[in-house]
Amino acid sequence: HWLFSVLTRLIEVIAPAEPDPGASPEGARTELDEEMENDICKVWDMSMDEDVALFLQEFNAPDIFMGVFAKSKCPRLTEICVGILGNMACFQDICMSISKDENLGQVLLQRLCDSDSPTLLETSRLLLTCLSQPEVANVWVERIRENPSVYDCVCFIMSSSTNVELLVKVGEVVDKLFDLDEELMLNWIKNGTCRSVGPSVDDSPEELPDFKIVPCILEAAKQVRYGRFLFGFMAREIPYNLVRPVSKHLACMQAPDGGKETWSLLYDLVCQELCQPDDPPIIVQEQKTVLASILSVLSAMFASQTEQEYTRMRKNMPLIGSLIRILQYMEGCGKRAVDNSKESEQEETGRTDVNEEDFHLKILKDICCELLSNMLQELTKENTLEGLHQGHLNEETCSCAFQNLLPLYFASVESFLEVLREADQTLADNLEKRFPSLKVHT
């Protein structure tokens, strides 16, 4: 009865029986009264319960919310209604019902052009929920493909918003879209759109400059990075959601300027923020996904653009040092896992988790070794002397590198050892003693 009464009052808010003489010229309120806001927020909380969500669907709440989106000038009310729909969409049958409503689908996509950050956040959350449901994901992908304004709104948000939580959620939406539809991904990254329609407060389309999504994603990643102190450790993980879409198709390499910007951002993340010398080795477990994503981009860029100024080795010794440190930390985590397994037997569920963690660490190690081998192969005597002077190269770090690179990347190690012999004969001899297979081939 209480839910029924709240929804009835909501209808009255957006369609009053008699015009209010004190209403704004648009004929709608811009703020909710306190009692109504408290009650509708309670509905928002309660809608996480499946029985409540089903009742709301039976009462045609989605249709009521469509009326809110069409008539309300109150951002807070719009945010709450989108949030309730987001909770309802967590349940499969309701999500299918919402998704198959073409009018509601179009209206929800239009919410991406809203100027209110909380509403944009809830809209992004709702879209991600629907895209994550296999039964309806294709419906939303096709709907987005047919609405070029979605591309423009996503780019606008990423290039102009300073709301870290919103940027991360939009990044997750883009990432999921790219997972679901490679053709859409290629179109968005390569071509963009010819005509842009973006956010507008007064509902009249506002012409915006043409966007390219890769620079917009990079701008979002910078904002997330600058906002890291607001979110503590979480902020060290969330660049993954913004970097991974770029790694899926390196269109950023087509233009030297875009490539330089990409390289600089990811280089700084690895060398200055992730897996640092004062971090415990276990940090590599916590950061494995974002590290793998970033290093995969850097590896592809380095392999294809070694002639570019920004990938020249004289500037990249700190990156080599960071790659070796990541490998050292992974060795530390491996030893810890062996010690723990000797102490106690793990339950079946726990064993599955460990195997999954080992799998992700192996991916990170493979990417790390590939990039490191390519970079070592490009070193000159001068680069090596610089690395020795800066402390990035010494017997300990070189031994760690060789241990991980051999035997798969034997040619790279052998090439580096020849250069190292010119820079530091003693160190080269010591490494040959540690790794007899190298001496045999010398």
Side-chain angles (χ1 to χ4, degrees):
H1 176 75
W2 179 83
L3 278 171
F4 184 90
S5 67
V6 173
L7 291 174
T8 302
R9 286 161 52 207
L10 181 58
I11 294 173
E12 294 172 353
V13 167
I14 59 173
E18 296 181 5
D20 183 356
S24 61
E26 293 83 0
R29 305 181 193 178
T30 58
E31 294 184 6
L32 280 175
D33 63 66
E34 186 175 352
E35 181 182 0
M36 185 63 198
E37 181 171 354
N38 289 338
D39 285 346
I40 197 68
C41 280
K42 288 177 184 176
V43 175
W44 191 0
D45 292 337
M46 294 168 63
S47 62
M48 289 186 288
D49 181 273
E50 186 172 8
D51 289 336
V52 176
L54 286 169
F55 173 83
L56 290 170
Q57 185 188 25
E58 291 171 6
F59 193 74
N60 295 323
D63 290 339
I64 297 174
F65 298 152
M66 279 188 64
V68 172
F69 303 149
K71 298 180 181 179
S72 174
K73 298 294 181 181
C74 175
R76 177 63 172 157
L77 180 57
T78 302
E79 173 204 354
I80 295 170
C81 291
V82 178
I84 295 173
L85 279 174
N87 285 348
M88 294 172 64
C90 293
F91 306 104
Q92 183 178 340
D93 290 344
I94 301 176
C95 185
M96 291 181 66
S97 176
I98 292 173
S99 300
K100 290 179 180 179
D101 187 330
E102 186 62 30
N103 291 332
L104 180 58
Q106 296 295 336
V107 169
L108 288 173
L109 290 183
Q110 290 173 12
R111 291 300 95 208
L112 286 173
C113 294
D114 207 293
S115 59
D116 181 60
S117 289
T119 299
L120 290 172
L121 178 60
E122 293 306 319
T123 303
S124 301
R125 185 174 72 88
L126 171 58
L127 288 176
L128 184 62
T129 300
C130 294
L131 289 169
S132 300
Q133 296 270 9
E135 297 79 9
V136 299
N138 289 338
V139 174
W140 286 97
V141 170
E142 187 61 31
R143 192 171 282 151
I144 290 170
R145 286 171 63 94
E146 294 174 355
N147 283 268
S149 64
V150 173
Y151 172 93
D152 299 296
C153 292
V154 166
C155 288
F156 183 84
I157 293 167
M158 285 189 157
S159 62
S160 61
S161 177
T162 57
N163 185 317
V164 173
E165 192 177 0
L166 171 60
L167 291 173
V168 172
K169 190 59 64 177
V170 172
E172 291 177 347
V173 171
V174 173
D175 189 36
K176 189 64 179 177
L177 275 173
F178 285 5
D179 265 338
L180 293 168
D181 192 325
E182 184 176 354
E183 185 180 348
L184 179 141
M185 175 189 74
L186 294 174
N187 181 55
W188 277 26
I189 292 179
K190 286 183 175 180
N191 305 319
T193 57
C194 298
R195 184 174 179 80
S196 300
V197 179
S200 176
V201 178
D202 59 1
D203 292 336
S204 60
E206 177 184 348
E207 186 120 355
L208 296 173
D210 287 337
F211 285 113
K212 295 296 182 183
I213 198 166
V214 170
C216 292
I217 290 175
L218 291 174
E219 184 61 34
K222 289 178 184 177
Q223 287 297 333
V224 168
R225 178 186 171 201
Y226 298 151
R228 62 190 179 277
F229 299 110
L230 298 176
F231 289 83
F233 170 75
M234 175 187 173
R236 305 187 77 176
E237 291 298 319
I238 50 185
Y240 171 72
N241 299 310
L242 296 164
V243 170
R244 189 164 173 255
V246 183
S247 70
K248 291 181 180 179
H249 189 283
L250 294 173
C252 49
M253 298 192 305
Q254 295 176 358
D257 293 341
K260 181 178 181 180
E261 186 179 0
T262 303
W263 181 274
S264 297
L265 173 65
L266 303 186
Y267 177 98
D268 288 347
L269 285 172
V270 174
C271 295
Q272 298 179 19
E273 298 188 28
L274 298 172
C275 204
Q276 293 300 293
D278 56 349
D279 288 329
I282 193 65
I283 198 72
V284 78
Q285 279 278 14
E286 299 169 345
Q287 298 176 350
K288 56 184 177 290
T289 51
V290 66
L291 281 169
S293 178
I294 291 173
L295 293 181
S296 66
V297 180
L298 291 175
S299 182
M301 294 184 72
F302 186 84
S304 63
Q305 297 222 27
T306 52
E307 297 304 315
Q308 290 290 343
E309 174 64 24
Y310 57 81
T311 60
R312 295 286 171 83
M313 289 312 307
R314 62 184 175 82
K315 296 183 177 181
N316 289 320
M317 287 310 305
L319 181 55
I320 289 179
S322 294
L323 294 173
I324 296 175
R325 181 166 59 251
I326 292 169
L327 293 172
Q328 288 175 316
Y329 283 9
M330 279 194 281
E331 289 180 354
C333 289
K335 292 176 182 177
R336 179 177 175 180
V338 171
D339 293 340
N340 289 342
S341 65
K342 291 178 180 179
E343 292 176 4
S344 62
E345 288 292 329
Q346 294 182 340
E347 297 180 358
E348 191 65 30
T349 55
R351 190 176 295 112
T352 300
D353 292 340
V354 171
N355 290 338
E356 185 177 350
E357 287 184 357
D358 289 345
F359 174 73
H360 289 297
L361 282 177
K362 183 181 184 304
I363 292 175
L364 173 59
K365 180 180 176 180
D366 291 345
I367 296 170
C368 190
C369 287
E370 181 182 14
L371 177 55
L372 180 60
S373 69
N374 287 336
M375 298 189 81
L376 290 180
Q377 208 161 12
E378 296 294 327
L379 287 177
T380 64
K381 177 183 177 181
E382 290 72 23
N383 302 147
T384 304
L385 286 170
E386 186 178 4
L388 292 167
H389 176 71
Q390 294 174 352
H392 300 302
L393 297 177
N394 52 47
E395 188 167 344
E396 180 185 358
T397 58
C398 289
S399 295
C400 176
F402 287 12
Q403 183 70 39
N404 285 277
L405 293 176
L406 293 173
L408 184 60
Y409 296 102
F410 183 88
S412 295
V413 173
E414 190 175 41
S415 171
F416 168 64
L417 190 61
E418 288 297 322
V419 175
L420 183 61
R421 188 174 284 106
E422 298 178 23
D424 190 327
Q425 180 69 49
T426 302
L427 177 55
D429 291 342
N430 290 341
L431 289 170
E432 280 189 340
K433 292 177 184 177
R434 283 199 179 196
F435 299 91
S437 61
L438 291 171
K439 193 170 186 178
V440 171
H441 290 79
T442 302

